[in-house]
Amino acid sequence: MRSELLTKGVERAPHRALLKSLGLTDGEMKKPFIAVVCAASDYVPGHTHLHEISRAVKDGIRNAGGVPFEFFTIGVCDGLAMNHMGMRYSLASRELIADSIEVMLTAHPTDAAVFIPNCDKIVPGMLMAAARLNIPSAFVSGGPMNAGTVGGKRVGYSEIYEAIGKFKNGEIGESDVKDFEDNACPTCGSCAGMYTANSMNCLTEALGMALPFGGTLPAVTSARRRLAKETGELIMKLYENNVKPSDIITKENMFNALTVDMAIGASSNTVLHLPAVAREAGVVLTLDDIDEISRRVPQLCRLNPASDIFIEDLNAVGGIGAVMRELSKSDLLDLNAPTISGTQYERVKAARHADGAVIRHIKNPVRDDGGIAVLRGNLAEDGAVVKQGAVLPEMMRFTGTAKVFDSEQDAVDAILNDEITAGDVVVIRYEGPKGGPGMPEMLAPTAAIAGKGLDGSVALLTDGRFSGASRGAAIGHISPEAAVGGLIAYVDGGDKISVDIPNRKVELLVDDAVIAERKKERAVKTKKTAGYLGRYSKAVTGASTGAILNDD
């Protein structure tokens, strides 16, 4: 027992004295200590109810004979951080979360841990910590928000941004925007569509680190609280059987998670997070692996923001288990892989059959390949990523004229001021992991393009990244990024750019000699950044490797 570092022997009398000052009894000191790592926050809608989830987890731990110890992590709400300086801290917070958990659970050893995340970077940050520490662990998130209703139509968070574009276009009035503001986010929970938070929670379930329905049970349900209690009880079994993350976060389950990722049309941010988690688990996962899985796995779900189907609808027809059962019909999963509650085969066998509508049948998919595609070409020699499941058919192949911006805000202003027209390719650079720094998420420009009715005639390319709520021909993670001399730094306004998603290509259509001359004449721009972001920008690697920190 790791907790014996605090409780066993006469030499630990000072430690026991401190524990007794917390109210612990001699009897409790003989029981397993279980950490409850909670992301509760008054800031974050996805986290405001996590105190309730945590109480249920602690009740489950006590029911099964353990002693819970709760502590809290930071967590950035990407929605609140969107489109201002705060967004540069979102991706960067992932490493802080993992590091702070390592500090807490090494300084105060426990025998196992239950992790309670919900929103975007908290889920991968906690998974990274669990893999790094490798003590028996289980996850239970706070669950998704219910969809809102505006004008008799169900909507999610992304539609608010699109409403701003429509307002600027004169299509709706200020009172209509207020209607979205008041009604699009009706409950606590992670935003209602297949955005990054719900994507990562669904993939944590598919990975085997959370119980069935862990990714989809709505935040407001009593079933979510029961699941939390069951997770608290389960962690004691994992402790007794010494089941560790290294037993679960294997290459086989990583590929299972990626397979589900492609089938559900998840956020492109998963391409950053899954390699980072894999690295902590000692598993090699590359963009080539992701591309190979994308090419052979059909997309079975088309969820908001790509449609008006929400996570609660996916839950109602069987959730991730039903998706995996349908995928198993084509032998696309490794069902021998273990989870925190039996094998993947046992989970799939107990799951419901696909309904054919929310979860399409394998012989009638939304598309024949996966929801995410990895593109390459002279603009992205190390790769770029697009959520192709949310791209209109007419934009799958597109050649347009570059309009270049060195910041997100400049691009947003241009879109809203009608400076972007059909046939343009909006290029936003110096927003990568180093150049941002922090690789800010860009929902505002993609939603503004959609709100202006241009998502069928305008593409957007960036070395930054997109919200899971983004839709349209939005190609992000362009690597190498501008700040390290990637070709995107040398694009000029008026250049022609070709995007060919089916053939996985993105190309700057400019002669090599012209590019070479530009490189001679033009220095890469740099930003002076202090504090944590300054340290982060020096250590972070490119998007193609998951924007992890360089240990050297």
Side-chain angles (χ1 to χ4, degrees):
M1 289 173 64
R2 292 173 82 246
S3 59
E4 288 180 349
L5 293 169
L6 304 177
T7 61
K8 189 173 182 180
V10 68
E11 298 85 0
R12 296 297 187 252
H15 303 70
R16 291 193 295 272
L18 290 171
L19 292 170
K20 286 183 176 180
S21 76
L22 297 174
L24 266 69
T25 66
D26 286 329
E28 286 176 312
M29 303 243 195
K30 297 174 184 176
K31 297 179 179 180
F33 286 6
I34 312 297
V36 178
V37 187
C38 183
S41 166
D42 288 345
Y43 263 119
V44 186
H47 294 182
T48 189
H49 64 304
L50 293 190
H51 292 292
E52 293 178 51
I53 302 299
S54 185
R55 279 195 295 272
V57 168
K58 290 189 286 187
D59 287 345
I61 291 168
R62 291 191 182 97
N63 288 348
V67 182
F69 289 84
E70 182 181 22
F71 69 91
F72 302 93
T73 67
I74 63 165
V76 173
C77 174
D78 279 20
L80 293 174
M82 193 73 67
N83 199 219
H84 63 82
M85 182 63 184
M87 179 47 75
R88 303 192 186 284
Y89 286 85
S90 174
L91 181 59
S93 74
R94 187 185 70 185
E95 271 58 33
L96 275 180
I97 290 164
D99 289 350
S100 65
I101 295 168
E102 176 192 349
V103 168
M104 287 294 290
L105 292 185
T106 305
H108 317 109
T110 60
D111 302 301
V114 176
F115 294 86
I116 309 174
N118 214 27
C119 293
D120 296 14
K121 309 310 165 293
I122 298 92
V123 188
M126 287 187 175
L127 281 168
M128 291 164 68
R132 186 185 303 174
L133 291 160
N134 202 32
I135 61 175
S137 300
F139 280 67
V140 57
S141 75
M145 182 185 289
N146 289 354
T149 303
V150 175
K153 180 183 177 182
R154 292 198 305 164
V155 299
Y157 176 71
S158 62
E159 281 85 349
I160 309 173
Y161 280 89
E162 293 181 17
I164 295 170
K166 291 178 180 179
F167 171 76
K168 294 284 187 179
N169 243 12
E171 297 176 38
I172 62 174
E174 197 166 344
S175 63
D176 298 304
V177 177
K178 183 68 159 55
D179 198 6
F180 278 92
E181 177 184 323
D182 289 344
N183 297 299
C185 298
T187 72
C188 63
S190 47
C191 295
M194 189 54 79
Y195 310 158
T196 306
N198 289 324
S199 296
M200 286 306 302
N201 285 325
C202 287
L203 297 189
T204 301
E205 179 185 339
L207 187 62
M209 289 297 292
L211 284 169
F213 291 97
T216 58
L217 276 172
V220 295
T221 59
S222 57
R224 172 65 60 179
R225 277 95 186 132
R226 293 195 301 272
L227 188 76
K229 192 176 292 185
E230 290 165 0
T231 304
E233 294 170 345
L234 174 65
I235 193 63
M236 297 305 298
K237 294 180 182 177
L238 297 176
Y239 161 71
E240 290 162 7
N241 294 315
N242 198 30
V243 177
K244 298 177 180 178
S246 58
D247 300 312
I248 309 295
I249 307 177
T250 60
K251 185 125 187 174
E252 292 76 14
N253 267 331
M254 270 291 170
F255 276 35
N256 284 338
L258 273 170
T259 299
V260 172
D261 191 349
M262 299 306 162
I264 62 177
S267 165
S268 59
N269 281 315
T270 61
V271 177
L272 287 173
H273 300 321
L274 290 179
V277 174
R279 175 176 177 264
E280 295 287 354
V283 174
V284 176
L285 187 65
T286 68
L287 277 183
D288 289 337
D289 293 325
I290 294 168
D291 186 49
E292 188 275 326
I293 292 172
S294 170
R295 289 174 184 271
R296 64 180 173 82
V297 175
Q299 183 178 347
L300 303 182
C301 302
R302 188 176 176 86
L303 302 168
N304 181 268
S307 76
D308 58 0
I309 302 171
F310 292 86
I311 302 296
E312 62 196 87
D313 305 316
L314 176 60
N315 183 74
V317 298
I320 295 303
V323 173
M324 295 182 76
R325 181 161 191 159
E326 191 63 24
L327 289 168
S328 72
K329 292 178 181 179
S330 292
D331 296 323
L332 291 168
L333 299 168
D334 188 328
L335 298 181
N336 293 317
T339 76
I340 59 171
S341 58
T343 64
Q344 295 282 17
Y345 173 78
E346 290 169 322
R347 288 192 173 192
V348 164
K349 186 178 179 182
R352 291 168 60 178
H353 288 282
D355 70 314
V358 175
I359 305 170
R360 300 277 284 271
H361 294 132
I362 200 86
K363 293 182 179 179
N364 181 36
V366 173
R367 55 181 306 114
D368 292 332
D369 55 357
I372 295 173
V374 176
L375 311 185
R376 296 187 188 272
N378 66 352
L379 258 179
E381 291 180 352
D382 293 341
V385 177
V386 62
K387 186 175 179 176
Q388 64 174 344
V391 178
L392 291 173
E394 58 265 35
M395 294 300 293
M396 295 297 286
R397 290 185 175 91
F398 180 78
T399 298
T401 304
K403 288 192 176 173
V404 183
F405 305 90
D406 288 348
S407 75
E408 176 192 7
Q409 190 57 54
D410 288 346
V412 172
D413 292 343
I415 296 164
L416 294 178
N417 291 328
D418 297 322
E419 296 170 25
I420 303 301
T421 57
D424 286 341
V425 178
V426 177
V427 177
I428 306 176
R429 61 192 179 192
Y430 293 104
E431 296 287 18
K434 283 186 178 293
M439 204 180 183
E441 188 173 274
M442 301 182 197
L443 176 56
T446 57
I449 287 170
K452 285 282 187 177
L454 296 171
D455 51 322
S457 59
V458 168
L460 195 159
L461 276 66
T462 182
D463 52 9
R465 62 192 177 91
F466 296 109
S467 166
S470 292
R471 63 184 176 93
I475 296 147
H477 305 201
I478 286 179
S479 301
E481 62 176 290
V484 299
L487 184 58
I488 191 173
Y490 303 101
V491 178
D492 280 352
D495 289 348
K496 294 295 183 181
I497 293 175
S498 170
V499 175
D500 186 346
I501 296 173
N503 288 308
R504 306 298 203 264
K505 290 185 178 180
V506 55
E507 295 275 345
L508 177 65
L509 305 180
V510 174
D511 288 343
D512 290 344
V514 174
I515 293 170
E517 193 62 31
R518 289 179 188 176
K519 288 183 177 181
K520 288 180 184 177
E521 296 173 352
R522 187 177 308 168
V524 169
K525 294 183 179 181
T526 59
K527 295 178 184 176
K528 290 185 178 180
T529 309
Y532 175 62
L533 274 187
R535 297 193 298 276
Y536 178 86
S537 66
K538 291 175 183 175
V540 71
T541 64
S544 61
T545 55
I548 58 176
L549 297 186
N550 189 335
D551 289 336
D552 296 331

